[in-house]
Amino acid sequence: MSENTEMCKETEKTMGILAGKWKPVILFHLLYGGTKRFNELKRLIPTVTQKMLTNQLRELEQQDIIKRIVYAQVPPKVEYLMTDYGRSLQPLIEIMYEWGASHIKHMENKEKDLTVDEKSVTNSD
Amino acid sequence: MSENTEMCKETEKTMGILAGKWKPVILFHLLYGGTKRFNELKRLIPTVTQKMLTNQLRELEQQDIIKRIVYAQVPPKVEYLMTDYGRSLQPLIEIMYEWGASHIKHMENKEKDLTVDEKSVTNSD
DNA sequence: CAGGATCCCACCTGATACTG
DNA sequence: CAGTATCAGGTGGGATCCTG
């Protein structure tokens, strides 16, 4: 964890995996929801477009985070699931989730502070 | 940590903080190197431009992650440091760092695997 | 020293249409 | 079903020049 050695390429690498608007959401669903088909993910993430979903899934696949299984059958069927390696991201996703949750509260409290700063301070609700 | 509740806005919030090419690096330096002046950061991150450094610092400041202290003096002096709240990101940055480090090794090993896949498999080194 | 202002481009993102 | 192809828009990021 040295500060000066060629800056922290490690955190950048991690960001390289997580960067991309939909990747954390995809990982979240695959981690906690298990194997999913393409359209299942699409339903779970209604605001994503096919293009972007495909895009992000491909990148995660190339990075060995998720696995893509194609079934050679007439109604195409493709499944996505976490690789063992991808599962190592779970603690990170979990921390991100928890930090995000507390961050949301933090911001809400800041709002309140601004709202009540003119009211009586004795009211400690 | 439910899967279906309005998708995981929490992880997205966290990404909202960390997104930006230079933010993790900046946070890394401020977390482990302490208070830094503008040009100190610029020296520590040689490939960043003034514009982007300013940009990312401003965003982190607005998000209450870092604090910007301006000294009203003739040779301008501005210091940046983590807020108490920003410091709560430390475990996250640390996990990102560690995961990134192991990821780099993981990828190096994949390269090696591809290199030796034609050699004798009996060599279990 | 610590930026602000401008120009520029690549790529990220999205909507729509089409296909094996 | 699970994409691909194409077009269009917005934004992140970078280079350069200028300033209090």
Side-chain angles (χ1 to χ4, degrees), chain A residues 41-53:
Chain A
L41 284 171
K42 188 148 172 27
R43 265 192 301 275
L44 287 168
I45 316 170
T47 48
V48 74
T49 61
Q50 288 96 332
K51 178 186 171 184
M52 285 316 299
L53 185 52

Side-chain angles (χ1 to χ4, degrees), chain A residues 15-96:
Chain A
M15 283 304 292
I17 300 294
L18 263 24
K21 186 168 181 180
W22 310 100
K23 287 185 186 176
V25 197
I26 292 169
L27 294 180
F28 191 88
H29 285 298
L30 292 184
L31 277 170
Y32 297 98
T35 301
K36 297 288 180 197
R37 296 182 61 174
F38 186 83
N39 272 7
E40 281 186 286
L41 284 171
K42 188 148 172 27
R43 265 192 301 275
L44 287 168
I45 316 170
T47 48
V48 74
T49 61
Q50 288 96 332
K51 178 186 171 184
M52 285 316 299
L53 185 52
T54 303
N55 181 338
Q56 308 271 289
L57 287 170
R58 289 290 190 282
E59 288 189 24
L60 290 172
E61 185 193 3
Q62 285 175 15
Q63 290 158 331
D64 207 14
I65 304 300
I66 66 174
K67 188 170 181 183
R68 178 168 178 266
I69 303 180
V70 184
Y71 296 86
Q73 59 189 39
V74 182
K77 178 181 176 183
V78 179
E79 285 183 342
Y80 294 93
L81 61 152
M82 302 298 292
T83 60
D84 286 343
Y85 182 58
R87 244 176 269 284
S88 69
L89 275 171
Q90 184 153 350
L92 184 48
I93 297 287
E94 221 167 295
I95 280 206
M96 286 181 60

Side-chain angles (χ1 to χ4, degrees), chain B residues 12 15 27 30-31 43 45 50 73-74 84 91 116 124:
Chain B
E12 286 174 21
M15 282 304 294
L27 295 180
L30 292 183
L31 277 171
R43 267 192 300 276
I45 316 171
Q50 288 97 332
Q73 57 190 42
V74 182
D84 285 343
V116 301
S124 57

Side-chain angles (χ1 to χ4, degrees), chain B residues 14-77:
Chain B
T14 307
M15 282 304 294
I17 301 293
L18 264 23
K21 186 168 181 179
W22 308 101
K23 287 185 187 176
V25 196
I26 292 169
L27 295 180
F28 190 88
H29 286 298
L30 292 183
L31 277 171
Y32 296 98
T35 300
K36 298 288 179 196
R37 296 181 60 171
F38 186 83
N39 272 7
E40 282 186 285
L41 284 172
K42 187 148 172 27
R43 267 192 300 276
L44 287 169
I45 316 171
T47 48
V48 74
T49 60
Q50 288 97 332
K51 176 191 171 181
M52 285 316 300
L53 185 52
T54 303
N55 180 340
Q56 307 272 288
L57 287 170
R58 288 289 189 284
E59 288 189 23
L60 289 171
E61 185 194 3
Q62 286 175 15
Q63 290 159 331
D64 206 14
I65 305 300
I66 67 174
K67 187 171 183 184
R68 177 168 179 265
I69 302 180
V70 184
Y71 295 86
Q73 57 190 42
V74 182
K77 178 180 175 183

